[in-house]
Amino acid sequence: MDRRKVLRSLQICYQTGMKHSEILSQQRKMWDHCEDSTNWDVSHLGGPLRFENSLCFWIQADKKLLHDRIDKRVDDMVEKGLRLELNNYFDTLKEKNDELDYSRGILQSIGFKEFSAYLQLPKSERHSKLDNALFNVGIDILKLATRQYSKKQVQWINQRFLQPKRRQVPPIYGLDGNLTDAESWDINITRPAETLLENYLQGNFEHPIFAEKRVQTIEDREDDLIVRTCEICEGRAFVGIRQWEAHLVGRRHKKMKNRNMNRELRSFKFNSDPQNPSVEHTSVSTSEAQTRDRKSVV
């Protein structure tokens, strides 16, 4: 049971006199019968934000760079005493309740559940080879879980702010977080954020920084009717960026791409056989093969 969700439902019931499920049902009905696109107040994702005058910033970073930072953050936590903190806190929990439920509560949060096997070892096994091995496994799982969580955060932003057409949400302004040294942070994040805020408070929405930093929504890309052709999938054509991006992550496209790469790899091995001088030596660029699906024609 999710305690936070239960408390939220009880709060809604206390304040409105209605069940949480009844309010959600009403919102869905309004969504289904809404015809005026200028008055879309609710959607299946909920209504507008709690505060009307909201300015949303999104510090963005490349996926590879973000993953590297996550790994470094976990390594820093280990250096600063993560292992001792885990042991001490777990010992405190065991003193209060000797029969802990590892499937719920704080023991299922990121930072604990990855170390369940390590924590369940008896104290006599601490700092043994098995103990060290299980702790290192927990570190690897923690890094993976945190990377997956960061992906879910990006998906949440996309779903809640960038994709829904009928939910009244403010635009999001992207700030470049790829460089984190003090000077780059000031240039790429602090100054643009201050400029956005100052002009927002003054009502000067014509300032070019609003258009420059605004993160595109699906609506912004609806006019993209470029026809893109996938050479990997035998010339299949897709109209618009949405169809194209959905195709690139589809099962059929990935299967075709892997099959072509394996075929080229086998060809490369055959043509590189020194015992077969009659065949001309060739080389295949894997990166080139991987990026062929990015080509498009208008």
Side-chain angles (χ1 to χ4, degrees):
M1 181 180 296
D2 191 320
R3 183 173 180 271
R4 180 184 63 82
K5 291 183 179 180
V6 171
L7 289 175
R8 176 58 179 159
S9 295
L10 290 173
Q11 179 188 26
I12 291 173
C13 185
Y14 177 78
Q15 292 177 346
T16 66
M18 298 176 62
K19 294 181 180 179
H20 193 183
S21 58
E22 293 176 350
I23 294 178
L24 293 176
S25 178
Q26 289 182 358
Q27 290 179 345
R28 294 189 187 98
K29 290 180 180 178
M30 292 177 66
W31 157 268
D32 293 335
H33 295 89
C34 188
E35 297 179 356
D36 185 359
S37 61
T38 62
N39 292 308
W40 282 334
D41 294 329
V42 297
S43 78
H44 64 290
L45 295 173
L49 299 185
R50 178 181 179 185
F51 301 103
E52 294 183 5
N53 299 318
S54 300
L55 187 60
C56 301
F57 298 139
W58 183 7
I59 300 178
Q60 300 171 301
D62 294 337
K63 182 178 179 180
K64 175 65 168 59
L65 184 59
L66 181 61
H67 287 181
D68 290 342
R69 289 176 180 170
I70 289 172
D71 291 347
K72 184 179 184 303
R73 177 188 174 192
V74 174
D75 292 335
D76 290 343
M77 291 166 59
V78 174
E79 292 181 5
K80 293 178 180 179
L82 174 64
R83 188 169 189 167
L84 179 61
E85 182 179 349
L86 280 172
N87 291 338
N88 291 342
Y89 190 77
F90 184 75
D91 291 343
T92 302
L93 291 177
K94 289 286 286 184
E95 290 175 0
K96 296 180 179 179
N97 182 9
D98 190 52
E99 297 182 359
L100 294 174
D101 185 352
Y102 294 90
S103 63
R104 59 188 301 179
I106 192 171
L107 293 177
Q108 272 297 296
S109 63
I110 294 180
F112 267 101
K113 63 182 179 181
E114 294 80 14
F115 297 95
S116 59
Y118 162 78
L119 292 172
Q120 293 180 60
L121 283 177
K123 286 186 178 181
S124 59
E125 291 287 338
R126 285 185 181 174
H127 302 293
S128 64
K129 289 185 178 181
L130 177 59
D131 183 71
N132 293 331
L134 291 176
F135 180 77
N136 290 331
V137 169
I139 292 296
D140 292 336
I141 299 175
L142 176 58
K143 290 179 179 179
L144 175 60
T146 310
R147 292 195 295 267
Q148 291 173 337
Y149 184 66
S150 71
K151 180 180 178 181
K152 290 182 179 179
Q153 289 177 321
V154 173
Q155 290 175 339
W156 185 89
I157 293 173
N158 286 329
Q159 292 171 357
R160 296 283 173 165
F161 286 88
L162 303 181
Q163 289 188 7
K165 294 183 179 180
R166 300 183 179 181
R167 189 177 188 222
Q168 291 183 346
V169 291
I172 291 183
Y173 299 97
L175 303 173
D176 185 1
N178 284 319
L179 300 176
T180 56
D181 60 277
E183 182 179 359
S184 299
W185 186 272
D186 184 59
I187 295 174
N188 297 328
I189 296 179
T190 304
R191 294 181 193 175
E194 289 176 346
T195 302
L196 283 164
L197 180 58
E198 290 172 359
N199 285 275
Y200 182 86
L201 294 175
Q202 295 170 7
N204 182 22
F205 300 107
E206 300 300 322
H207 194 286
I209 196 169
F210 285 99
E212 175 189 346
K213 297 297 183 182
R214 187 173 183 269
V215 179
Q216 283 191 337
T217 64
I218 294 299
E219 291 90 328
D220 297 328
R221 304 159 73 192
E222 289 293 337
D223 294 333
D224 180 356
L225 298 179
I226 295 175
V227 179
R228 295 169 171 84
T229 302
C230 182
E231 296 181 1
I232 287 180
C233 297
E234 300 175 349
R236 291 186 64 194
F238 302 88
V239 180
I241 187 64
R242 295 184 67 180
Q243 286 189 13
W244 177 248
E245 290 183 344
H247 168 69
L248 293 180
V249 298
R251 182 181 301 175
R252 177 176 178 179
H253 173 76
K254 291 180 179 179
K255 182 177 179 180
M256 293 289 289
K257 183 170 65 173
N258 290 335
R259 187 179 70 177
N260 289 350
M261 289 178 61
N262 290 335
R263 181 185 301 161
E264 292 184 348
L265 182 59
R266 288 194 298 269
S267 175
F268 170 73
K269 291 180 178 179
F270 175 77
N271 293 334
S272 300
D273 186 356
Q275 297 181 356
N276 189 3
S278 63
V279 181
E280 181 181 358
H281 290 253
T282 61
S283 61
V284 175
S285 171
T286 303
S287 60
E288 180 182 348
Q290 290 176 327
T291 56
R292 285 177 182 168
D293 58 336
R294 295 292 177 181
K295 294 183 180 179
S296 62
V297 295
V298 178

